Amino acid sequence: MNRREAISQVSWILGGTIIGSSIFLEYGCKSSPEQKLLFFDQKTIDLLNEIGETILPQTSTPGAKEANVGQFMDMMVNDCYTKEHQEIFLEGIKTLDRDCKTKTGNVFMDSSAQERTSFLTALDTQQKAYMDTKKAEEPPHYFRMMKELTLLGFFTSEIGSTKALRYVETPGSFDGDVPYKKGDRAWANA
């Protein structure tokens, strides 16, 4: 199974809750033979990788930056988002940097790890409040889009599914009563 097929299956499993999932389920993702920049420049990819790393930092397992979620977001925004959602995403990148500079005195890339975490935690609280009260016709919050693409990109990458999750390439028979020990990683869906 390739990454695009996995993304499609994950979106079905999640019941279409990922913003834009209906778009990439309905139209599918365009095929791109080589990994090249499609929508963003390298500076933006680096910023998205740092945002992703703040959301999913490296611990005993690799972080979002190692999975190159910025490159994944580039492909998803280019191939699967509507023009309206692309504009929200682009404006959101500018807003994030501007608001980070206002709150911390530095743009996101120049902020410390602690400042980044504090800023994104406050931004996440803001987007949750927005999403809870928004009407169906209103656009999604840009940070919600970034966070969802970070999670989707990381957990569908080889690094995320094999090093952050427990992975068995060829699973055995179904066993619905597997004991869980506190601290065990979740299973990857192969």
Side-chain angles (χ1 to χ4, degrees):
M1 173 184 306
N2 68 32
R3 190 170 186 178
R4 291 175 194 272
E5 291 168 351
I7 292 167
S8 179
Q9 287 185 3
V10 167
S11 63
W12 277 106
I13 290 167
L14 295 176
T17 58
I18 297 172
I19 293 174
S21 63
S22 59
I23 296 164
F24 62 79
L25 285 175
E26 186 174 338
Y27 300 107
C29 293
K30 300 173 203 160
S31 180
S32 177
E34 69 264 354
Q35 292 287 60
K36 60 181 180 177
L37 299 181
L38 304 168
F39 194 76
F40 302 122
D41 59 18
Q42 189 58 50
K43 184 177 175 184
T44 303
I45 299 290
D46 294 343
L47 173 63
L48 293 172
N49 275 329
E50 291 300 329
I51 291 168
E53 188 69 16
T54 304
I55 294 169
L56 287 172
Q58 179 180 358
T59 56
S60 60
T61 60
K65 189 175 181 179
E66 191 172 334
N68 199 7
V69 295
Q71 185 84 38
F72 174 80
M73 288 186 216
D74 181 50
M75 182 267 303
M76 290 297 291
V77 171
N78 184 69
D79 291 356
C80 303
Y81 275 25
T82 63
K83 185 82 169 150
E84 177 191 10
H85 285 174
Q86 288 175 342
E87 290 170 8
I88 292 167
F89 205 94
L90 284 172
E91 189 57 38
I93 292 169
K94 294 175 192 170
T95 301
L96 184 139
D97 240 4
R98 184 181 62 241
D99 290 352
C100 187
K101 185 168 177 117
T102 300
K103 290 188 174 47
T104 68
N106 292 312
V107 292
F108 191 83
M109 292 295 279
D110 295 337
S111 298
S112 69
Q114 184 178 6
E115 289 171 329
R116 289 176 181 185
T117 301
S118 176
F119 173 72
L120 289 188
T121 300
L123 187 57
D124 193 40
T125 302
Q126 176 190 352
Q127 73 83 15
K128 283 178 188 173
Y130 172 82
M131 294 301 287
D132 286 345
T133 60
K134 86 173 195 68
K135 295 181 176 69
E137 66 275 1
E138 292 177 328
H141 193 281
Y142 72 89
F143 186 66
R144 174 70 161 249
M145 298 166 85
M146 289 178 189
K147 187 175 178 182
E148 288 176 345
L149 285 179
T150 296
L151 296 172
L152 183 62
F154 180 74
F155 287 109
T156 59
S157 72
E158 182 178 353
I159 289 170
S161 63
T162 61
K163 296 190 178 175
L165 300 171
R166 292 187 284 179
Y167 177 78
V168 177
E169 187 173 350
T170 308
S173 63
F174 175 76
D175 182 3
D177 190 22
V178 177
Y180 172 77
K181 290 180 243 132
K182 187 172 177 117
D184 278 352
R185 295 180 286 163
W187 288 96
N189 191 7

